[in-house]
Amino acid sequence: MHALIQRIWHGFVVIALVATATFVLVRLAPGDPFAAALENARLTPALREQWRAAYGLDGSIGTQFAHWIASLARGDLGFSTSTNQPVSRAIAAALPNTLLLIGTSIVIAFMLGIWLGAVQAAGRGGIVDRCIGAITLIGNAVPDFWLALVMLLAGSYWLRLFPVGGVADLLLPLGASWPVLLLDRARHLVLPVLTMVILLVAPIARLQRTALLDRLGAEWVRTATAKGVARRTVFRRHAWRTALGPVVTMGGIALPSLFGGAVFIERVFAWPGMGRLAAEAVAARDYHLVVGCVLVGTVMVVIGSMLADHVSAWLDPRLTQDGFEPGRGLA
Amino acid sequence: MPNLRDLRFLSLCALAACGATPDGTPAAAVSATGGTLVISTPAEPDNLLPPITTSISGRQVEDLIFQRLADIGASLNTVGDAGFTPNLATRWQWSPDSLSIAFTLDSAARWHDGVPVRAADVRFSLALVTDPRVASPTALLLANVDSISARDSLTAVVWFKQRRPDQFFEIVHQLYVLPEHLLRTADRRRLAAAPIAMMPIGSGPFRVARWVPKQLLELVADTTGGRRRAQLDRVVFAVAPDPVTAFTRVVTGEADLFEAVRPDKVAEVTSHPQLHLVLTPTLDYSYLGFNLVDQKTGRPHSLFGDRMVRRALTMATDRRSIVMNVYDSLAVQARGPFTAAQSTADTAHVPLPFAPDSANALLDAAGWMRGADSLRRRNGMLLAFGMLVPSTSVARMRAAVLLQEQFRRVGADVRIEGVDMGGFVSRISARRFDTMVGAWSQDAGPADVRAAWTSAAATAGGNNAGAYRSPQFDAHVDSGVAAFAPTAMRAHFAAAWRIIADDAPAIWLAEPLRVMAVHSRFVTSGMRPDAWWAGVAKWSIPPDRRIARDAPAPAHAAALAPAGASR
C-alpha cells in the first residue's frame, strides 16, 4: 500500500511538473491566440488586446499561472479560444474517440504482435521467421503520415471499401438504430485502426521474438525440457509468460507516443480525437486547450506506466521477489 | 495538367457565373426544391455570431443563416446603392440630404424560432456590434453610422455621421441583423462563450440543425414564414483538417464541393465525369513585402529603405514565371495592391517590368557591386536578407524559392525563413523581418486598401507591416474613397496605384483564382468574387439528377419544420 501511495505521489509530481512546463513554454512560443488572423484588416491591435484581456491572457505569465491554478482547483481547465467552449468539454468530446481508436488498435496490435513474435521465435531462423521479420522491419520503418495517406487512398479511393474519414456517416439519420450506428462506427474505424496496428505490431513482434528467444535459452526452460515437460507446455507456461513482461512494459511506455502518433492518423482520417485536438490547439495557440491536452495525456501516461509495472509483476512474479519496486519500474 | 486557357474551362467559368447548367439549361427553369449539398472543408468556423467571427469558414455559414438588409451586386459596386438587391429590407428611401436611409423590412421575415423580425432588431444589431465590450472587428467598419432608430415595427432608419459614397455599402454589407430577444441578456464581454454562438438563430434561408465540432455542421432549409425558401433541403459542411482527405471526399463522391483545389489536382478533378471544375476570381493577392524600417534603430532599413534597391529587386522578379510555376494557369499576375474584380481596379496599370539588365544597372548605381562570388556588396556589407514565409502555405513556399533564385541572379543572397503561421504572424507583428511573402484577402469596399498600405496602418501593430508611408498615396486613396462619381474614384485609385508601384514597397505576385470541384448535378449561381457561397440558397438539383443523399430522410424531414417545433 505504501508503495502504491508513493507511486501515486510520484505520478502527481510528474503531472504537476509537466503541466507547469507546458503552461510556461506554450506562452513563450511566438504568437498568441488572437494574432493568427493578422492578415485580416478588421483585426486591429486594440481589438486583439481587448480579446486578450477578456480571456485573461493580458497579464504576466505568473499572474496567468496563478489564475489557472485557482481555476484548476475548482475543476475548471479554462476556456478554449479556438473551439469557443470550456476546455473540459472539448476534451470530453475528443477523449472517447481517441480511447476507442487507440484502445482498439492496442488490443489488436498486441494480440497480433505477440502471436507473430511467438511464431517467429518458435521457428527461429526459418522461412516464416525471416518473412515476418522482413515485414515487421518494413512496418517499423514506414512513417505514420505516409502510411495513413496510403491507407486512405487504398481503402477509400482505389478500392472504395471504406469511408474517407470521420467517426460516423455525415448523413446518417438522427434516429438510426444501434446496429446501424455500430456498423457505421466500425466501418469508420477500419482504416485508422489498421494503420495504427501496422505501425504498432512491428515493434511488438520484434520485442516479443527477442524476449522469447532469451527465455527459451534460460536455465529453467532447459531444466523443464530435461524433466520431460512437453515442448508446447514449456513454451507457453515457462517461456512465453515471462517473455510478455517487456512487451507489457513497452505498452505502458508507448502510450505517450501513441497519443503523439495519433496526431497524423487522426488528421488524415478526420478523426476528432485528442491528437488532432492538441495539434490544432498548438497551431491556434490555444493556451488553455494545449495545457489541458497535455495534462490529460500525462495522466494517462502515468496511469499506463503504473498499470504496466503491475501487470509485468503479475506475469513474472520473480520481479517482485527479486526486490522489484513498482516506483522504480523494471530494470 | 490541363491548361485552363482551354475553352472548356472558360466555358465552365462562364456557366458558373451566369447560373446555367452545364448542358445549357437556364437555372430559372429548375424550380423544384430538395437535395443535399455536402461541402468538404478543412476549416471549421470559429463561431457563428457575426460580430465576433473572424474566420472565412464562419462567414460562409453566417451568410446562409443570417440576413443583411440588402446584398451587394455581382459588380461589387460600393458607390451609392446601384446594383444592390433587396434582402431583409424590401425597399429603402434616402433622405434628401443623404444622411439617413429608411429601410422597410419584409413583413414576412421571421427568426428561425418563429418570432417576427422587427426594426428593433436592426437597431439592436448596431448597438451590439458597436458596443466596446463586444470588441467586434466590424465596429470600425460601421464608424460612419451614427445610430439606427425604429420608425415603426418594420421601418429602420439608419443615420449617418457623414455623407459618403460607400455609406449604403457599409450599413447593408457590414451589418448582419441579429435577434434582440435572444442576445439581449448575453454577456457582451464573452459573446463567443454564449451557447447561441454555437447554435445561432437567424432569419436567413438556412438554419443550424446540428454542429458536431471537428466533424460536421448541418444546415437545413428554413421554412418559417411565407417567404421563398432555399432550393436545397440542406447544406452539410464536412470538416476534414487534412486537405488531401477533404479533397478525397469529393472525388469519392462522399461530398459535393471542395473550394480549394490545388493546381496539381486539377487533372484529377477533370478525370471524374461527375465533377465540374469551377473557376471564379477572388479578392486575394500574394506579394513580397519589404520592411522599409529597421526596427532596432527606427531608421530606414539598410537595404529596403533605399527605393532604388526595391525597384531593382522588383525588376529582377519574373512574376510571369512565378505565377506559372506556382499556380500553372490558375492565377493571374497581380498588378498592384488590388485585384481585377474590384471596382477600384485599374486594369490598364502597368507595373514595373521584368528587366534584369535594368535591375543590375540600378543596383550598380546604388553602389552595390558584384564580387568574385557574384554576390553584391557595398562598403563591405553583403546584399543579403531574410525572406519570411509561412511554411504551411505550399504556394508561398514555392514562390519564395523562385524569388530566392531570381534575386540570386542579380547578386542578392536570400535566406528563406519558413515558420509556422503563428510564428509568421508574431514576427510580422513585431516587425522582425526583412522581407515576407504575404497574402491579403480584401473586402469589396474601396476603403480596404487603407488597412494594408496607408500611413495610418503603418503604426505599431497595424497591417502595413513594412511601414510604407506616402502622403501622396494616402491622399489619392482618401480622395478615391470619398469620390461619389465612379470615374473620379477610379482616377484617384489609378493615381494611387501608380505612386505605390513607383515606390515599390512590395512586389505584387499573383491573384489566385478560386478553383472549386463541384458535383455536376448542381445548378449553381451567384458566385461572387468575395463570396462564392452567396447564392447557395438559389442553387438547385434537377429532380432527375438527384442521388440517394438528396432524398429527405425521416429525421431530416422533421428537422425542416420550424425551429420552435423541433426543439
Side-chain angles (χ1 to χ4, degrees):
Chain A
M1 180 55 84
H2 175 72
L4 182 64
I5 292 171
Q6 194 179 31
R7 190 69 203 268
I8 290 171
W9 168 247
H10 286 167
F12 176 77
V13 171
V14 168
I15 292 165
L17 286 175
V18 170
T20 305
T22 309
F23 187 93
V24 173
L25 289 174
V26 75
R27 278 165 175 76
L28 293 180
D32 75 62
F34 306 116
L38 185 76
E39 291 174 326
N40 180 337
R42 297 176 172 200
L43 285 182
T44 62
L47 279 182
R48 288 196 284 267
E49 279 305 316
Q50 206 171 329
W51 285 1
R52 284 187 196 108
Y55 290 94
L57 301 172
D58 56 339
S60 66
I61 290 183
T63 311
Q64 291 181 46
F65 187 67
H67 286 157
W68 183 71
I69 290 291
S71 300
L72 198 61
R74 297 191 301 271
D76 178 7
L77 288 171
F79 191 80
S80 162
T81 49
S82 66
T83 63
N84 282 314
Q85 58 184 324
V87 168
S88 53
R89 195 186 301 163
I91 290 175
L95 192 56
N97 292 327
T98 290
L99 290 178
L100 177 65
L101 176 61
I102 290 183
T104 312
S105 306
I106 282 180
V107 169
I108 296 173
F110 268 72
M111 287 169 62
L112 190 62
I114 288 168
W115 178 73
L116 285 175
V119 168
Q120 280 186 280
R124 180 185 186 184
I127 184 78
V128 175
D129 179 26
R130 279 181 291 175
C131 282
I132 296 174
I135 292 168
T136 54
L137 189 66
I138 293 169
N140 237 350
V142 170
D144 49 7
F145 63 91
W146 181 85
L147 181 65
L149 283 172
V150 168
M151 295 298 288
L152 176 81
L153 290 175
S156 303
Y157 182 55
W158 294 324
L159 301 175
R160 305 281 170 105
L161 291 174
F162 301 104
V164 175
V167 293
D169 191 325
L170 298 168
L171 303 173
L172 207 61
L174 296 173
S177 62
W178 70 263
V180 172
L181 291 172
L182 200 66
L183 188 66
D184 179 62
R185 185 60 61 98
R187 285 186 68 235
H188 283 82
L189 257 176
V190 170
L191 289 179
V193 164
L194 200 55
T195 309
M196 284 205 94
V197 165
I198 291 173
L199 293 167
L200 275 173
V201 83
I204 294 170
R206 293 174 74 81
L207 188 64
Q208 178 68 90
R209 177 184 180 276
T210 309
L212 254 175
L213 289 176
D214 181 54
R215 299 300 189 277
L216 285 171
E219 288 177 1
W220 77 85
V221 173
R222 286 206 303 273
T223 304
T225 309
K227 284 165 76 176
V229 180
R231 187 173 180 271
R232 189 182 183 86
T233 308
V234 169
F235 191 87
R236 284 176 58 184
R237 289 188 59 184
H238 296 272
W240 184 65
R241 179 171 168 166
T242 55
L244 280 176
V247 178
V248 170
T249 305
M250 192 199 80
I253 296 169
L255 210 56
S257 62
L258 283 180
F259 269 95
V263 170
F264 294 108
I265 291 165
E266 288 182 355
R267 180 179 165 86
V268 169
F269 292 105
W271 192 266
M274 288 293 292
R276 185 178 146 196
L277 187 74
E280 289 176 5
V282 170
R285 303 293 191 270
D286 188 341
Y287 297 152
H288 286 150
L289 189 52
V290 171
V291 178
C293 289
V294 171
L295 202 62
V296 171
T298 312
V299 169
M300 296 195 67
V301 168
V302 167
I303 293 173
S305 174
M306 285 168 67
L307 279 175
D309 283 352
H310 285 277
V311 171
S312 295
W314 174 73
L315 285 169
D316 190 351
R318 292 173 308 128
L319 293 172
T320 46
Q321 288 166 3
D322 293 343
F324 168 72
E325 295 176 24
R328 291 185 182 173
L330 286 166
Chain B
M1 181 188 300
N3 192 308
L4 300 182
R5 281 165 290 195
D6 186 318
L7 283 176
R8 179 182 172 195
F9 292 99
L10 290 177
S11 64
L12 288 171
C13 298
L15 287 169
C18 72
T21 58
D23 61 1
T25 311
V30 181
S31 60
T33 60
T36 300
L37 170 66
V38 180
I39 299 170
S40 186
T41 174
E44 188 172 41
D46 47 350
N47 63 72
L48 294 177
L49 263 190
I52 50 171
T53 301
T54 57
S55 66
I56 297 292
S57 45
R59 194 65 68 192
Q60 288 176 357
V61 180
E62 285 166 357
D63 276 348
L64 304 179
I65 299 171
F66 293 98
Q67 285 182 290
R68 297 177 168 101
L69 291 167
D71 288 327
I72 192 170
S75 66
L76 300 185
N77 168 63
T78 58
V79 178
D81 60 5
F84 284 85
T85 55
N87 191 344
L88 188 57
T90 54
R91 61 182 188 275
W92 49 86
Q93 178 79 44
W94 290 75
S95 67
D97 62 1
S98 297
L99 281 173
S100 70
I101 306 171
F103 290 92
T104 303
L105 305 188
D106 185 346
S107 59
R110 297 281 184 278
W111 297 108
H112 297 152
D113 58 4
V115 175
V117 181
R118 292 292 177 251
D121 292 313
V122 185
R123 182 179 57 197
F124 170 80
S125 303
L126 179 73
L128 184 74
V129 170
T130 54
D131 186 335
R133 290 174 296 174
V134 174
S136 170
T138 311
L140 267 182
L141 306 172
L142 292 165
N144 188 39
V145 180
D146 180 77
S147 60
I148 294 178
S149 59
R151 182 180 293 167
D152 56 52
S153 66
L154 288 176
T155 309
V157 184
V158 181
W159 301 87
F160 297 92
K161 294 173 185 169
Q162 289 177 6
R163 179 174 170 263
R164 289 197 346 200
D166 58 349
Q167 67 191 76
F168 187 86
F169 164 76
E170 283 177 355
I171 189 63
V172 303
H173 191 72
Q174 309 296 4
L175 186 72
Y176 290 89
V177 181
L178 304 167
E180 181 181 16
H181 66 289
L182 297 171
L183 282 163
R184 193 187 299 126
T185 56
D187 177 2
R188 295 194 178 190
R189 290 185 194 282
R190 295 184 66 169
L191 266 186
I196 197 170
M198 297 286 282
M199 287 291 286
I201 299 287
S203 61
F206 292 93
R207 62 183 179 79
V208 182
R210 59 178 170 147
W211 184 359
V212 187
K214 310 274 181 198
Q215 295 183 57
L216 67 98
L217 175 61
E218 181 177 349
L219 309 180
V220 295
D222 184 66
T223 53
T224 311
R227 293 180 308 146
R228 189 179 171 191
R229 57 155 281 177
Q231 294 285 301
L232 299 171
D233 276 346
R234 58 179 166 173
V235 177
V236 178
F237 292 84
V239 182
D242 192 287
V244 174
T245 311
F247 176 72
T248 307
R249 271 189 168 152
V250 173
V251 293
T252 56
E254 282 187 29
D256 300 310
L257 186 151
F258 182 66
E259 66 161 297
V261 178
R262 289 192 338 216
D264 58 333
K265 297 291 182 191
V266 166
E268 172 77 27
V269 174
T270 56
S271 71
H272 291 272
Q274 83 276 15
L275 292 177
H276 278 160
L277 202 63
V278 177
L279 304 174
T280 63
T282 66
L283 300 184
D284 307 340
Y285 62 76
S286 60
Y287 63 99
L288 178 82
F290 298 114
N291 194 347
L292 276 55
V293 175
D294 184 331
Q295 292 308 308
K296 288 178 185 165
T297 62
R299 300 175 64 186
H301 192 279
S302 57
L303 299 177
F304 307 119
D306 185 345
R307 184 168 173 266
M308 285 172 77
V309 173
R310 302 197 303 266
R311 286 175 63 89
L313 292 177
T314 303
M315 287 194 277
T317 304
D318 183 359
R319 291 176 302 125
R320 184 177 160 278
S321 75
I322 290 175
V323 170
M324 283 303 293
N325 277 291
V326 176
Y327 299 98
D328 191 75
S329 47
L330 301 174
V332 295
Q333 292 176 53
R335 294 166 181 270
F338 60 88
T339 60
Q342 285 178 288
S343 56
T344 57
D346 176 12
T347 50
H349 172 73
V350 180
L352 287 175
F354 169 52
D357 292 342
S358 303
N360 279 313
L362 265 179
L363 288 170
D364 288 343
W368 293 96
M369 309 308 291
R370 281 190 190 267
D373 55 1
S374 84
L375 294 176
R376 292 178 182 274
R377 288 175 177 79
R378 185 173 70 181
N379 301 328
M381 180 185 168
L382 191 66
L383 181 59
F385 55 89
M387 188 181 290
L388 190 63
V389 197
S391 53
T392 45
S393 168
V394 175
R396 287 197 243 178
M397 280 300 289
R398 284 182 184 169
V401 171
L402 294 167
L403 283 165
Q404 181 187 41
E405 171 58 18
Q406 292 182 4
F407 290 161
R408 188 193 60 76
R409 289 179 192 163
V410 293
D413 182 21
V414 179
R415 180 180 69 258
I416 294 177
E417 300 167 346
V419 293
D420 78 333
M421 188 53 88
F424 179 78
V425 170
S426 173
R427 285 191 48 187
I428 289 177
S429 295
R431 312 302 201 226
R432 286 191 291 111
F433 67 95
D434 294 323
T435 64
M436 59 98 167
V437 184
W440 191 254
S441 292
Q442 301 180 100
D443 201 342
D448 186 80
V449 69
R450 281 177 171 155
W453 299 103
T454 60
S455 305
T459 50
N463 289 304
N464 182 358
Y468 168 66
R469 292 172 191 271
S470 164
Q472 293 82 10
F473 174 78
D474 294 349
H476 277 294
V477 167
D478 288 342
S479 301
V481 171
F484 283 88
T487 48
M489 179 191 77
R490 280 195 286 274
H492 279 296
F493 274 105
W497 305 148
R498 278 195 300 276
I499 290 167
I500 199 168
D502 283 345
D503 287 340
I507 304 170
W508 290 277
L509 299 171
E511 293 177 32
L513 293 170
R514 183 177 292 108
V515 187
M516 301 197 293
V518 186
H519 196 283
S520 60
R521 71 186 194 283
F522 288 91
V523 180
T524 61
S525 66
M527 289 189 184
R528 295 198 318 251
D530 64 323
W532 63 261
W533 57 90
V536 162
K538 293 175 186 163
W539 290 18
S540 61
I541 307 171
D544 60 329
R545 302 284 320 268
R546 289 180 191 165
I547 59 176
R549 64 170 168 259
D550 293 324
H556 170 224
L560 286 172
S566 64
R567 280 187 176 80

